[in-house]
Amino acid sequence: MINERRFFGTNGIRFKPGIDFGLDFVIEMSEAIGTYFSKGSILVGYDGRNTSPMIAKAVMAGLMSVGLQVGEAGLSPTPALQYAIGKLGYNGGLMITASHNPPEYNGIKVMGQDGVEISREDEVKIERIFLEKSMRRADWRTVGNYQQEIKVLSTYIQGILSQVDIDLISSKRFRVVLDLGNGVQSLAAPYILENLNCEVITINSDINGEFSGRGAEPTLETLIGLSKAVKAHNADLGVGYDGDGDRSIFCDENGVIYTGDRSGAVIMDYVLSKKPKSLVVTTVSTSQIIDYVAKRYESKVLRTRVGSVDVSRKMVETKALFGIEENGGCFYAPHIPVRDGAMSTALMLECMAKRNQKLSELIKELPQFYQKKAKFACPNELKTRVMSLIERYSEGEVEKIDGIKLWIDKSSWILLRPSGTEPLIRVFAESDDEKKLEEIISRFSFIVEDSIKKCGGG
Ligand code: MG
């Protein structure tokens, strides 16, 4: 059952502090989260946003007020906090972050004992406690205590290093440019690479709440500076992270930046070559390049709704080896089944070292697929009707994991999906034939616009 009022979105609770909600909301929501956990100690970390320390203090107060113990991790990459929860024996964790969103946003992510975000069902449980105001309050005897947790970053850095062949990577003496995007991966990725004997050049490495360099989101457009730096320094590789350090976008030695599914497919190919016949989890919107690579190693691909929580939870449930998202998220289960920008970087370096190839050469070995996105304004209240009208145009094989995915032929598909957060219908198509892709997009753009009009929108 879904609550009438939702607070959790695709990736935790996101809001504009002081505009959407004040600290009263943060404290009450933290009391609800604490009541859900019921007892134990919770690790709390935050990203470099201006509002993060303030929200973290309110969150910790809320948790202690319902009797939970709190460990304050301070500034941490999200995947570092997630890894440390399990490794340091906490019962759960809260990360204050809005990932790649603009500086005025912040948010709360809730992790279970294993460091993985809690399930969609558990999010609903927390919302119910919050809406019913059934938080349990502690008195002076049972109120929680507080301690600083100083081992988060060192635990995380050691954890990643233990997953890769340090000697092999070190022998290559790679030169790597890291675009840290003024985010918290500044605290870990440069040190991990130094331990791998890389020559590290950093840009946008000062952590600040304005994300003053190129913004918090690493995209083909925002990483032009990274591309230039890779060429200027004659580097072997470039990597750009998002604001909380769980996603990484890669740049080859020629300054070419790749989408997350192409670079992720390179890492996935390497991981599966070491352990064929494994399970891979990805979302319904990720490229068929994933299926192509999986087939090479007799591995199976499972697809979920769009959202890293869905991928992580499916990985836990099925004991999958690897997870991937097109936005630059790679999940490596032997470390922890959550997306992790620094783990992905270490695996990419090991792959380049082991195969003795540059990233451009590794990418060339993959088939070329073309992708195109479009979006159409559609009022929230019309979305359901518009989607059912669109469905009438469905032909061939239809997948309904998230929105409607239609297979036009064996290597062309289109995904039509109502946005979970904005009044939009999103369209995403892929084909091995560029001309065909254009035809598909223009045909379905007409269908979507026409359906919105027929439902009284547009
Ligand atoms: Mg992120």
Side-chain angles (χ1 to χ4, degrees), residues 11 14 78 97-100 109 242-247 339:
N11 214 323
R14 293 264 167 98
T78 298
T97 179
S99 183
H100 62 276
K109 281 174 75 140
D242 75 330
D244 66 329
D246 57 356
R247 293 196 282 127
R339 55 186 185 188

Side-chain angles (χ1 to χ4, degrees), residues 398-450:
V398 183
E399 282 174 25
K400 286 178 79 177
I401 298 169
D402 195 355
I404 300 168
K405 187 173 182 178
L406 305 170
W407 282 89
I408 312 295
D409 61 36
K410 69 176 193 352
S411 46
S412 309
W413 55 264
I414 183 159
L415 176 70
L416 305 122
R417 210 169 65 84
S419 163
T421 49
E422 292 167 271
L424 293 172
I425 303 270
R426 295 185 186 279
V427 174
F428 191 34
E430 180 178 60
S431 177
D432 59 348
D433 180 335
E434 212 170 357
K435 211 171 139 234
K436 186 163 217 169
L437 179 68
E438 290 298 333
E439 283 168 21
I440 295 169
I441 283 281
S442 72
R443 180 153 64 95
F444 277 90
S445 296
F446 174 77
I447 290 172
V448 174
E449 281 172 343
D450 192 49

Side-chain angles (χ1 to χ4, degrees), residues 83-96:
Y83 181 72
I85 292 167
K87 209 69 188 169
L88 300 176
Y90 283 84
N91 300 89
L94 264 63
M95 179 71 194
I96 313 308

Side-chain angles (χ1 to χ4, degrees), residues 243-412:
D244 66 329
D246 57 356
R247 293 196 282 127
S248 48
I249 295 290
F250 290 90
C251 173
D252 74 14
E253 74 286 359
N254 304 315
V256 179
I257 295 161
Y258 298 99
T259 55
D261 40 14
R262 289 184 75 70
S263 55
V266 168
I267 299 172
M268 172 183 159
D269 189 292
Y270 176 63
V271 167
L272 291 182
S273 72
K274 293 201 290 183
K275 204 164 180 266
K277 296 185 182 167
S278 293
L279 268 183
V280 174
V281 179
T282 191
T283 71
V284 70
S285 64
T286 310
S287 171
Q288 55 199 303
I289 206 166
I290 305 306
D291 306 86
Y292 176 90
V293 173
K295 214 177 254 172
R296 267 188 192 168
Y297 301 101
E298 298 172 71
S299 296
K300 209 179 144 196
V301 179
L302 300 173
R303 290 192 186 261
T304 67
R305 293 175 63 86
V306 174
S308 67
V309 182
D310 303 270
V311 175
S312 281
R313 279 286 146 205
K314 185 59 106 186
M315 286 180 74
V316 172
E317 180 195 321
T318 60
K319 298 194 168 62
L321 175 68
F322 196 73
I324 184 166
E325 284 183 313
E326 42 91 24
N327 59 11
C330 287
F331 310 58
Y332 185 54
H335 174 58
I336 180 173
V338 303
R339 55 186 185 188
D340 187 331
M343 184 72 248
S344 309
T345 308
L347 286 170
M348 180 65 91
L349 290 171
E350 188 180 271
C351 169
M352 287 165 59
K354 186 84 175 180
R355 296 190 161 168
N356 203 20
Q357 282 178 299
K358 297 174 187 309
L359 178 55
S360 67
E361 295 165 345
L362 292 161
I363 292 268
K364 254 186 224 138
E365 290 176 3
L366 297 169
Q368 175 73 52
F369 291 103
Y370 303 91
Q371 296 166 335
K372 205 162 176 179
K373 284 180 188 181
K375 56 187 178 186
F376 300 90
C378 175
N380 288 332
E381 63 276 12
L382 296 184
K383 281 176 180 170
T384 316
R385 276 170 59 207
V386 170
M387 287 307 291
S388 60
L389 206 54
I390 292 170
E391 205 181 330
R392 291 199 206 149
Y393 292 93
S394 308
E395 50 195 275
E397 199 188 324
V398 183
E399 282 174 25
K400 286 178 79 177
I401 298 169
D402 195 355
I404 300 168
K405 187 173 182 178
L406 305 170
W407 282 89
I408 312 295
D409 61 36
K410 69 176 193 352
S411 46
S412 309

Side-chain angles (χ1 to χ4, degrees), residues 178-183 185-187 190 202-208:
L178 299 180
D179 181 344
L180 296 145
N182 310 107
Q185 198 49 267
S186 272
L187 299 167
T202 59
I203 53 177
N204 300 319
S205 61
D206 63 309
I207 300 172
N208 70 58

